[in-house]
Amino acid sequence: MTTDTALAGALPAPLPASARALVRPERWSPLRRGVAWMLGSLLLFAAMDVVQKTLTLRYPATEVMFFRSLFSAVPLAIVLARSGGWGLLATRRPAAHLVRSVVGALSVFCFIMAFSDMPFADVYAISFAGPLFVTALSAPLLGEAVCRRHWVAVVVGFLGVLVMLKPGEGMLSGMALLCVAGTLCSALATICVRRLARTEHNATIVAYFTLACGVLGGALMLPDFVWPDAAGLAGMAAAGLLCTVAQLAMTQAYRLAPAAVLAPLSYSSMAWAVLFGALLFGERPGWDTFAGTLIVVGSGLALRSGKGARA
């Protein structure tokens, strides 16, 4: 793209060579670039959640889910074409794709519904229990050995979730339980992906998942369908584009840096949740959210320490 001559005089002077070496991504180590891609993807996912939460103020969650999937299909089709064409959709494991896609779609539905009625930071805090569910389910579903220390971390982490749910104060809302269900479905989807990734291309897995989200959202939105206006369609298109770009950025991150380094960074998204919740929706997380988050994050980090971590 050529530089706009009207802005040329406002551009900063060229940096010296030593400074350019610090900011040019190609001069960074793969680890630093992986961290940068990961942090960028987390910001994009948070922006997508902001758009979705805003859209649910005017449209049913299922409709937001459908149109997000519809608009995600456009860049996904480009990725498929560049990765090997439509032949990648051929699979010998349709049942496995069906299970992964359904639980993944249910997770998306639960989280969009939760965002429509819960504070931004609360949804993020509960979702951090995902690695705990993955660890607890990896033993019976994947046959992986889970050491005693990790079982202790799982139990402590679930206690942190209870702190956030506040069952003793009568605050155990249906939306909070729906958020927990979404986290469980997300963990199940992660386990399914682990098994599918042994034989299936990443683009194939994502394509069937996107299709399932569109079908589920399209079927459930019909009774309460609201015709979106131009602003609504633009928001749904933005959500779909942000979703795909964020996924690609996260994939690039894991290509460049070890999972042990990148995975704990996901907890930093709580900062975006608190910031966006306060600035855009006037939300202030309570002490229980922060206390429960610290317990869950601590448990999640404990799962990743040492050998045999399963999260």
Side-chain angles (χ1 to χ4, degrees):
M1 181 183 355
T2 57
T3 302
D4 189 340
T5 54
L7 299 176
L11 295 176
L15 294 172
S18 58
R20 290 200 301 270
L22 295 176
V23 298
R24 282 182 176 174
E26 62 267 21
R27 300 290 180 91
W28 294 3
S29 67
L31 179 64
R32 293 177 64 187
R33 282 185 286 155
V35 169
W37 278 108
M38 184 66 174
L39 293 177
S41 73
L42 295 174
L43 174 58
L44 291 173
F45 276 125
M48 178 194 72
D49 290 332
V50 167
V51 174
Q52 292 182 150
K53 184 175 178 66
T54 304
L55 288 170
T56 57
L57 300 176
R58 302 175 56 199
Y59 304 100
T62 50
E63 187 171 340
V64 175
M65 178 179 176
F66 170 78
F67 280 104
R68 192 194 87 170
S69 302
L70 180 65
F71 287 110
S72 294
V74 177
L76 179 59
I78 298 175
V79 172
L80 277 172
R82 297 185 61 180
S83 300
W86 297 105
L88 286 176
L89 295 179
T91 177
R92 295 181 179 179
R93 305 180 65 184
H97 278 288
L98 178 63
V99 173
R100 180 269 183 269
S101 299
V102 169
V103 294
L106 287 174
S107 175
V108 172
F109 168 74
C110 290
F111 280 122
I112 295 179
M113 286 289 293
F115 274 121
S116 69
D117 194 59
M118 289 179 63
F120 213 80
D122 288 6
V123 176
Y124 268 61
I126 294 175
S127 72
F128 288 161
L132 306 177
F133 280 115
V134 171
T135 300
L137 294 172
S138 61
L141 297 182
L142 293 177
E144 297 181 354
V146 180
C147 67
R148 181 179 302 177
R149 184 182 65 179
H150 288 169
W151 279 118
V152 172
V154 169
V155 172
V156 172
F158 285 141
L159 291 177
V161 174
L162 286 177
V163 170
M164 291 183 279
L165 294 178
K166 299 177 289 188
E169 300 181 19
M171 298 294 289
L172 198 59
S173 69
M175 283 299 175
L177 292 176
L178 195 65
C179 188
V180 174
T183 305
L184 173 59
C185 287
S186 178
L188 288 170
T190 299
I191 290 176
C192 290
V193 169
R194 283 188 181 181
R195 303 185 69 171
L196 280 168
R198 298 169 185 170
T199 59
E200 304 294 292
H201 194 281
N202 286 344
T204 309
I205 299 173
V206 175
Y208 283 114
F209 163 64
T210 303
L211 177 62
C213 288
V215 171
L216 180 63
L220 296 179
M221 76 174 182
L222 294 178
D224 302 312
F225 181 75
V226 177
W227 282 104
D229 56 16
L233 283 175
M236 293 172 187
L241 182 61
L242 285 168
C243 178
T244 302
V245 175
Q247 290 280 5
L248 293 175
M250 184 170 288
T251 300
Q252 180 66 8
Y254 277 101
R255 286 176 179 170
L256 294 169
V261 174
L262 297 178
L265 294 176
S266 62
Y267 296 123
S268 69
S269 59
M270 188 64 174
W272 294 118
V274 173
L275 180 64
F276 290 150
L279 295 181
L280 302 179
F281 304 105
E283 300 168 351
R284 293 185 178 182
W287 70 267
D288 50 293
T289 298
F290 286 115
T293 299
L294 288 175
I295 296 173
V296 172
V297 169
S299 299
L301 293 176
L303 291 175
R304 297 187 179 280
S305 64
K307 295 183 179 180
R310 298 301 171 202

